[in-house]
Amino acid sequence: MSSSSSTSAADGQAQPPALTFRFGVWGAAVPLVFFVVWAITISVQGFASEVGLIMGALFGLTLGLFFCKSKWHAYAEGLFDGLTQPIGVVALVAWFYAGMFAQVLQTGGLVEGLIWLGSISDASGGVFVGLAFLLAAIFSSAVGTGYGTVVAFCTFMYPAGIAVGGDPVMLFAAILSGAIFGDNLAPVSDTTIVSATTQDADVPGVVKSRFKYSVMAGLPTLILLVVFGGSDAGNAGPDAVTAMQSATDPQGLIMLIPFVLVLTLALRGQHLLTSLTWGILCACGLMLVTGMASPADLLTVNADGEMGGALVRGVKGYINMAVLILLIVGAAHLMTLGGTMDRVTELLMRWIKDSVRRAELAIWGLVALLNSAITINTAAEIAAAPFVRELGTRYHIHRYRRANMLDAVTSALGYIFPWGAPVLLGWATISAMQETYAWLPVVSPTAVFPFVFQGWLLLAIMLFAAITGWGRTFEDAKGNTLTTRPTD
C-alpha cells in the first residue's frame, strides 16, 4: 500500500489522490463501508454466508464506480491493480494448500484417533472437560479449522462428556476454547495466514512470536475448566460412551506425524507452502501404506467427470474465501488511491499523537469492533487488516506484532459472542443430536458466552500487551527488528 500512498516520501507533502470521488476522500471508502454494513445486516438477519459476503463486496465495488469522479477506466484499473496485490494472492494460494492438508488429516481419521485417547482415559467430570479442551486444541492446531473442530467435538466428545459427569456449559465452552487455541496458533489456520500475509509477515515467524500469548491464555483456561467442569447431575447417559467408542480408531493418531512434520519445518524457517507440501505427501503416503484410505479417497473422478476426494474438498472449502479476500484487498486499494487511508490515519493520529500505546489500543479496538459485528471471523479480519497495516507502519510497529494483535482479537471474539458463526454452529450440532440422545442437554449460545475462557483471556492479554508494551517490538524501513521506535 505504501507505494500508492498519496503522501510523497521525497518531500513529505501531501499529493493529490490518484483517484477522485464525490464526497472527497470518503467517497473512496464507499465499497468497503457498504460491504461492512452488508455483512452486519445479513449476520443480524441470520443468513450470513461466504457467497452472501462476496455479493456484498461486488455490490460495494459497483456502487463505488458511481461515486468516482475520475474516469471509470481509471477506477477499473485501480481496482484490478489492487486485486493483483501480493497480500491477497499469497493468502489464497496458502489457503488452498492448507485446505488440502486439513482434509487429508481428517480423512486419515485424526479426530477419531484423538477421541480414542479420550475414551481410554477413564476421565470424568472436570478432568474430562479439561481433556476435551486439550484434544480440541491439538486437533484445531493440526488441521487449522476452528469450525471443523467445533462440529467434530460437539458430535463425539460432547455427549460422552455429559455421560461421564461433565458440566454441559463448561464442556461446550471447552470445545470452543480449544477451537480458538488452534485457530489462533496453527500455521495452517485461515486466520493465521490472513493475519501474516496482510501484514507482509512470514507465517513461521508469526507463529513463533505468538506462542507465548496462546499458552498464557491456555494454561489458566485448562485449570478453570478442570476445576469448574464437573456436574452435580452425575452421569446422564452411559450409552453415549459406547457410541463414542464405536466412532474411535487409534490408528488415526498416525496422522499426528505429518502434523508434527509441518510444524517442525515451518518453525525451522521453511516456507509455509514447502512445509505443507511435505505434510500432504507424508499424510497421503501414510494413509495409502497403512490402508487407512484408498487413492479414490484422496482424488477421484466420477462418471460425470467431476473430481472429488479429500484434496479437492480442501481446495473447494476455500474458493469462496479466496474470492472474498481479493475483492476486499481491491476495495482497500481503492481507499489508498482515493486518499481515504491517509485521512483515516490522520484523524486517528490526532488522538494517538506520538503514543505507540494509543496506536495499539486503536488497532485493538478497531479489530474488536469489526469482529463484534461481522460473524465470520476471517471476513472481519480481512476487513480490518488494511487499517491495521496502515496504522502500524506509521508507528513502525513490527509486522509480527501487528499480525498477532489482528489474529488474537479476531480468533477470540469469533468464538465468544452468541451471534458468532462457530457458536451457533456448535449449538445447532448439539441440538440436532437430541434425535439420537433424547437426554442430551442443549446449551444456549447466551449461556456459554461468559465461560469461553481461552477467548476472554486471549482478548485480555492482548489488551494488557497494548497498554503495558509487553512483547512490543519495532522495525525500521528495511524491516529490521528494533527494540525501540526509530525516529521518522
Side-chain angles (χ1 to χ4, degrees):
M1 276 187 218
S2 58
S3 61
S4 302
S5 176
S6 61
T7 301
S8 171
D11 55 18
Q13 299 298 316
Q15 301 297 315
L19 293 175
T20 57
F21 290 82
R22 292 177 175 83
F23 304 111
V25 297
W26 303 115
V30 166
L32 188 59
V33 170
F34 180 88
F35 166 76
V36 172
V37 173
W38 174 279
I40 294 172
T41 302
I42 65 175
S43 296
V44 171
Q45 294 297 322
F47 51 85
S49 67
E50 293 172 354
V51 174
L53 291 171
I54 290 173
M55 294 307 300
L58 288 172
F59 291 154
L61 290 169
T62 304
L63 183 62
L65 194 65
F66 293 94
F67 280 79
C68 184
K69 294 171 66 177
S70 301
K71 292 182 178 180
W72 282 13
H73 176 78
Y75 179 93
E77 288 297 320
L79 172 60
F80 285 116
D81 183 47
L83 295 176
T84 61
Q85 296 290 305
I87 292 173
V89 177
V90 171
L92 69 91
V93 174
W95 270 347
F96 291 155
Y97 276 81
M100 289 190 292
F101 182 64
Q103 282 296 322
V104 168
L105 291 189
Q106 292 187 66
T107 302
L110 178 57
V111 65
E112 288 83 0
L114 292 174
I115 291 173
W116 176 82
L117 285 178
S119 68
I120 66 169
S121 66
D122 290 329
S124 61
V127 176
F128 187 94
V129 172
L131 181 63
F133 165 70
L134 286 177
L135 296 179
I138 293 172
F139 181 73
S140 59
S141 297
V143 302
T145 168
Y147 286 30
T149 300
V150 170
V151 173
F153 278 73
C154 283
T155 301
F156 297 109
M157 293 293 279
Y158 181 82
I162 299 301
V164 297
D167 180 80
V169 173
M170 290 298 175
L171 185 56
F172 189 18
I175 294 170
L176 292 171
S177 292
I180 292 172
F181 187 93
D183 208 12
N184 172 236
L185 189 62
V188 297
S189 164
D190 52 355
T191 58
T192 298
I193 292 171
V194 170
S195 66
T197 56
T198 57
Q199 304 308 309
D200 198 25
D202 61 287
V203 172
V206 165
V207 171
K208 286 181 182 178
S209 66
R210 73 176 46 157
F211 183 79
K212 57 180 178 290
Y213 304 123
S214 300
V215 172
M216 279 193 65
L219 290 177
T221 293
L222 176 61
I223 294 171
L224 289 169
L225 290 171
V226 170
V227 172
F228 298 106
S231 172
D232 294 334
N235 297 356
D239 57 320
V241 177
T242 303
M244 179 187 70
Q245 291 174 339
S246 67
T248 64
D249 185 356
Q251 194 175 21
L253 291 174
I254 199 173
M255 287 294 102
L256 287 174
I257 295 175
F259 161 57
V260 173
L261 175 63
V262 169
L263 190 62
T264 301
L265 290 174
L267 294 181
R268 290 182 64 180
Q270 292 291 327
H271 194 282
L272 182 62
L273 258 60
T274 303
S275 305
L276 287 171
T277 297
W278 282 113
I280 292 169
L281 293 174
C282 176
C284 291
L286 286 172
M287 291 165 63
L288 295 175
V289 169
T290 59
M292 296 169 61
S294 67
D297 292 324
L298 300 174
L299 186 66
T300 185
V301 180
N302 62 23
D304 297 326
E306 296 179 353
M307 299 188 72
L311 297 175
V312 174
R313 289 197 304 273
V315 173
K316 282 185 176 180
Y318 282 108
I319 287 178
N320 288 337
M321 290 306 299
V323 173
L324 181 62
I325 191 173
L326 289 180
L327 295 176
I328 298 303
V329 168
H333 189 65
L334 290 174
M335 290 199 302
T336 299
L337 296 178
T340 311
M341 280 297 186
D342 284 338
R343 183 60 60 86
V344 170
T345 306
E346 176 189 337
L347 292 174
L348 286 172
M349 288 174 67
R350 292 181 183 178
W351 174 73
I352 297 171
K353 297 180 180 177
D354 198 44
S355 171
V356 178
R357 175 188 299 170
R358 289 190 178 187
E360 291 194 340
L361 286 173
I363 290 173
W364 187 95
L366 177 64
V367 178
L369 178 63
L370 286 175
N371 276 276
S372 301
I374 302 176
T375 61
I376 298 179
N377 57 1
T378 309
E381 186 174 59
I382 294 169
F387 297 99
V388 174
R389 179 186 174 96
E390 186 73 14
L391 193 59
T393 53
R394 291 293 183 101
Y395 288 87
H396 301 283
I397 299 171
H398 198 281
R399 61 197 65 192
Y400 291 169
R401 176 79 166 185
R402 303 194 313 258
N404 291 338
M405 194 72 70
L406 175 60
D407 189 87
V409 177
T410 295
S411 297
L413 291 178
Y415 295 82
I416 288 178
F417 289 125
W419 55 86
V423 180
L424 294 174
L425 185 62
W427 169 75
T429 301
I430 295 171
S431 298
M433 292 178 61
Q434 279 196 314
E435 295 182 6
T436 304
Y437 308 116
W439 47 265
L440 193 68
V442 176
V443 179
S444 70
T446 53
V448 76
F449 169 74
F451 304 105
V452 187
F453 299 126
Q454 179 72 16
W456 287 116
L457 288 170
L458 194 59
L459 196 65
I461 286 170
M462 298 315 296
L463 180 60
F464 172 82
I467 294 173
T468 64
W470 174 60
R472 181 184 295 149
T473 54
F474 300 91
E475 61 183 13
D476 59 20
K478 296 181 179 180
N480 298 316
T481 302
L482 305 172
T483 56
T484 58
R485 180 185 171 191
T487 56
D488 295 317

